[in-house]
Amino acid sequence: MARVNISLDAELVVEVMVLAGVGSPQDAVEAVVRDYIARGHRTEARTELKEQSLREVEAKPQDPHG
């Protein structure tokens, strides 16, 4: 797996370490990135379900109003 080295503000990393309950800066940053990705996948899934529901509603024949 490829690795990327970046510089981050130490206070940010320490805060993430405390919030995530992890003991290393590496684990803290990985936890944040994994959470961000998982949140994106959940959003995509919800959006897809909503769009699918809207398509089903649009496809149903309308009752005649009279």
Side-chain angles (χ1 to χ4, degrees):
M1 171 176 24
R3 296 254 179 211
V4 176
N5 292 319
I6 58 171
S7 297
L8 295 172
D9 183 88
E11 290 181 23
L12 293 174
V13 175
V14 169
E15 189 166 348
V16 171
M17 289 171 64
V18 170
L19 290 171
V22 296
S24 77
Q26 177 76 31
D27 291 344
V29 173
E30 285 185 12
V32 170
V33 172
R34 290 180 192 282
D35 181 65
Y36 183 81
I37 292 169
R39 186 178 309 163
H41 290 303
R42 289 190 303 267
T43 300
E44 288 174 0
R46 282 195 309 264
T47 303
E48 186 176 317
L49 287 174
K50 186 174 183 178
E51 289 175 358
Q52 184 178 24
S53 295
L54 289 174
R55 275 188 248 120
E56 289 173 0
V57 168
E58 291 173 357
K60 290 181 182 176
Q62 297 291 326
D63 290 332
H65 298 283

